[in-house]
Amino acid sequence: MTRVAVDGEALAGMIRSVATSHDRSAFAALFAHFGPRLKGFLMRQGATDAEADDLAQDVMLTVWRKADQFDAAKAAASTWIFTIARNRRIDVLRRERRPEPDPDDPMLVGEPEPSAEAHMSTAQAQVRIRDAMATLPPEQVEVLTLSFYEDLPHSEIAERLGIPLGTVKSRLRLAFRKVKALVGEELA
């Protein structure tokens, strides 16, 4: 195959044509110029013949899609294209080196579904807690709700309610004591 020498200005012009008007003939000329060069570069980087072909095509597809991002003031056309190739090769190597997830890894195994008995026990406990909370004074219920249902820190509860931080803590402590006495030790 005969290689035709093309100067950098002509290559940059071809990329601009691809960017502005999706010029297929300019892209074909770019592909004819860079395709074999990219394949050789990628094979020198350790890619097999088939991998180098695939990567070169992928790089040229990226050139087609992102031609509008090329800036001749920042880099030559060849520098821009070979940088894309280098980065794509690095991406492929990273993917290859990433170990496959082990399906038996305990971190990947979800929690077992609770038994029907556990569901019933939880539902019963929720009813007992709700009944116990109904016996609390409204200001204690309000502090419990803000603390546990809205997950607010004690200082924010104090600020929102306009009461001292110590009062928030006292109300929570009194509410816990009363709920614990009504519900039982197993839920505390």
Side-chain angles (χ1 to χ4, degrees), residues 22-152:
H22 293 292
D23 184 344
R24 291 176 186 262
S25 62
F27 181 72
L30 281 170
F31 200 105
H33 180 76
F34 283 108
R37 288 169 175 82
L38 286 170
K39 183 176 178 182
F41 170 75
L42 292 164
M43 288 179 71
R44 285 189 300 278
Q45 299 297 316
T48 65
D49 187 52
E51 288 173 338
D53 273 336
D54 289 345
L55 283 169
Q57 288 180 22
D58 188 43
V59 168
M60 292 309 296
L61 185 59
T62 301
V63 168
W64 174 262
R65 284 193 211 128
K66 297 186 177 191
D68 60 325
Q69 294 178 7
F70 171 68
D71 184 356
K74 291 184 179 177
S78 58
T79 303
W80 183 65
I81 292 173
F82 280 96
T83 299
I84 294 171
R86 181 183 136 282
N87 291 341
R88 195 59 45 99
R89 176 72 178 143
I90 290 169
D91 290 344
V92 167
L93 290 173
R94 284 182 182 150
R95 257 186 261 123
E96 287 174 357
R97 290 182 182 151
R98 186 174 297 141
E100 288 295 316
D102 178 10
D104 297 326
D105 186 345
M107 295 297 288
L108 298 176
V109 177
E111 292 290 321
E113 282 293 316
S115 66
E117 182 179 314
H119 274 298
M120 287 298 294
S121 175
T122 301
Q124 290 171 351
Q126 288 173 347
V127 168
R128 290 185 4 220
I129 290 171
R130 204 174 304 118
D131 290 345
M133 284 183 65
T135 66
L136 296 175
E139 61 272 2
Q140 289 177 5
V141 172
E142 184 177 33
V143 171
L144 277 176
T145 302
L146 292 172
S147 181
F148 291 97
Y149 293 107
E150 294 187 29
D151 201 26
L152 295 178

